Amino acid sequence: MRNCSIRPLHDQVVAFQQRNGLEADGVVGKSTVEALNIPVSERITTIEANLERWRWVSDDLGNNYILVNTADYNLRFFGNGEQTFISKAIVGTSKRPTPYSVR
């Protein structure tokens, strides 16, 4: 019976880990604790920076383009306006950041 009350918490930990590009194993280890301890003010600053980056991206990416989501380590290829391929992506670290460019 004890397991029934723990399951929803485990599921929420997994969801948090997935949203934050962590190994989604449901274990609250070092990386998960670090992500949980990021202050709201830092999250807001990150969101503001990302919104500013998106402001400079063209509304028309054309029919064929690649989007790399560094937060979840995924690369998506769009052909003829449809997602046709998805792959894991290797991204940088704080000491060697991933370069960003648009077109």
Side-chain angles (χ1 to χ4, degrees), residues 13 31 35 43-44 49 56 60 72-73 75-76 91 95-96:
V13 171
S31 297
R43 297 274 188 190
I44 290 170
W56 294 100
D60 180 14
D72 74 357
Y73 301 90
L75 173 147
R76 299 173 196 278
V91 300
K95 292 182 181 174
R96 296 180 63 110

Side-chain angles (χ1 to χ4, degrees), residues 5 14 34 36 52 55-56 62 64-65 77 79 88 91-92 101:
S5 63
V14 168
E34 287 174 356
L36 285 165
E52 181 62 20
R55 193 167 76 93
W56 294 100
N64 301 315
Y65 55 94
F77 176 77
K88 289 289 185 186
V91 300
S101 68

Side-chain angles (χ1 to χ4, degrees), residues 9-20:
L9 176 59
H10 176 270
D11 294 346
Q12 289 302 309
V13 171
V14 168
F16 175 84
Q17 290 169 327
Q18 289 172 334
R19 280 194 315 269
N20 287 277

